[in-house]
Amino acid sequence: PTSITIITLSIITGTIMTMSSSNWLMAWIGLELNMLAILPIISKPKTTRASEATIKYFLTQAIASAMMLLSSTTNAWQTGNWDIPELKNKFSTTIMTLSLMMKMGAAPIHFWLPEVLQGTTLQTALLITTWQKLAPISLMYMISNNIQPALLMSAGILSMIVGGLGGINQTQLRKTMAYSSINNLGWTIMIMALSPNLAVMNISIYIIMTTPIFLMMTNMSTKTLQNLTTTWTTSTTTTLSIALLMLSTSGLPPFTGFMPKMLALNELITQKLTTLATLAIMTSLFSLLFYLRIAYLI
């Protein structure tokens, strides 16, 4: 119990430190604290899968942290300033953006996310897909006006494509959720270039929708699509709710998940980026495909 308390407090403190700091070093320390605290949680099931997941998570986060330090140090060396919004150096912003994307698991550096989620329990998967995204996204929000829009948008579109295509052939629910997370991060990152507030709303809605999905899966202890197809006999309401939440996450019109996507597309078209908007819609069809498959199988 003591250790659990310490770990929980460290995770919360780490994220809050990062989100509230104005200095790169404090933000970095917060992220490190957060990462070190979550490692024992990932490795709690005494299986080889869990250990492997822990190592993968640790390595990606450590590399991202190193890139973050490199970027902030280079910036401080060029401008003599450690403030987060003062990240003016082009090289620094690019490296920092890549590092933050790596931390939250957006494409092109997304490979660790499905693997790590598959190796852990559903509760840990929930923690990684929701809480662990808060700190990097808040940092990205703080430097969003210095990042080149082309970088954000290409990474966003890439994440959408990867998230859409990757989830199609999955039978493991955690991997499917990982790809859906990558897909939603794609939307968030892409719109971060034009309207950071919209990006924050997008990720918040995603977190609000994904939390009950994971909690209900934990409740019914379903891990594969096959498990999910047999649950409607025992718990009909829960299964129905999961199906509806899945459709909502995919951004189907009558549901909540449609709103941030619509606003994002509206913003893109206002900025005369019609091609990008079309691409975004096309990629969201991929993700709709696997969500519909899950909802249909249920």
Side-chain angles (χ1 to χ4, degrees), residues 6-277:
I6 294 174
I7 288 172
T8 319
L9 275 174
S10 304
I11 289 180
I12 295 173
T13 318
T15 304
I16 290 175
M17 262 172 76
T18 304
M19 288 171 79
S20 57
S21 63
S22 62
N23 185 320
W24 278 119
L25 278 179
M26 284 308 282
W28 179 78
I29 290 171
L31 282 168
E32 286 298 290
L33 181 66
N34 188 338
M35 176 193 58
L36 290 174
I38 203 175
L39 290 178
I41 298 185
I42 301 178
S43 61
K44 193 164 185 288
K46 294 286 177 284
T47 55
T48 40
R49 294 293 300 263
S51 321
E52 189 185 340
T54 315
I55 300 286
K56 282 176 181 165
Y57 186 80
F58 172 73
L59 287 175
T60 41
Q61 299 294 329
I63 295 168
S65 292
M67 282 165 65
M68 198 174 157
L69 267 186
L70 167 74
S71 152
S72 49
T73 323
T74 314
N75 186 62
W77 172 50
Q78 296 284 343
T79 60
N81 208 336
W82 282 99
D83 286 355
I84 289 180
E86 297 298 315
L87 199 71
K88 293 282 189 281
N89 191 351
K90 277 256 170 63
F91 170 77
S92 290
T93 42
T94 310
I95 297 282
M96 183 60 73
T97 313
L98 284 173
S99 138
L100 291 175
M101 281 175 195
M102 193 166 175
K103 273 207 175 292
M104 51 189 158
I109 329 174
H110 62 278
F111 304 102
W112 61 274
L113 190 65
E115 299 294 326
V116 169
L117 289 198
Q118 193 48 44
T120 56
T121 59
L122 281 164
Q123 291 98 321
T124 318
L126 168 67
L127 191 67
I128 294 173
T129 45
T130 55
W131 185 257
Q132 294 297 324
K133 306 257 183 280
L134 294 176
I137 281 181
S138 57
L139 283 177
M140 196 180 257
Y141 178 83
M142 284 191 256
I143 59 168
S144 59
N145 54 357
N146 294 331
I147 309 174
Q148 293 144 321
L151 176 68
L152 284 178
M153 287 181 184
S154 43
I157 283 285
L158 193 60
S159 295
M160 286 183 207
I161 295 172
V162 164
L165 292 177
I168 287 176
N169 211 9
Q170 296 295 342
T171 50
Q172 299 285 344
L173 286 175
R174 279 166 297 184
K175 279 196 176 173
T176 315
M177 293 307 289
Y179 282 110
S180 109
S181 169
I182 294 171
N183 185 19
N184 275 287
L185 274 173
W187 281 92
T188 306
I189 290 174
M190 181 186 72
I191 205 63
M192 185 75 84
L194 301 174
S195 162
N197 295 335
L198 236 176
V200 170
M201 187 191 80
N202 193 339
I203 198 73
S204 320
I205 288 182
Y206 166 69
I207 289 177
I208 291 168
M209 285 185 309
T210 217
T211 310
I213 296 183
F214 270 116
L215 291 176
M216 284 190 267
M217 283 177 187
T218 315
N219 195 14
M220 302 191 298
S221 66
T222 50
K223 289 185 177 59
T224 57
L225 267 178
Q226 199 179 357
N227 291 11
L228 206 56
T229 50
T230 54
T231 49
W232 65 274
T233 47
T234 50
S235 43
T236 323
T237 329
T238 317
T239 318
L240 189 64
S241 314
I242 286 191
L244 290 176
L245 278 164
M246 286 281 185
L247 290 177
S248 180
T249 325
S250 69
L252 216 59
F255 301 106
T256 321
F258 175 61
M259 183 180 62
K261 283 190 167 58
M262 188 190 64
L263 290 170
L265 291 172
N266 182 28
E267 188 69 35
L268 285 174
I269 292 166
T270 315
Q271 303 282 354
K272 301 277 187 292
L273 294 164
T274 326
T275 332
L276 202 62

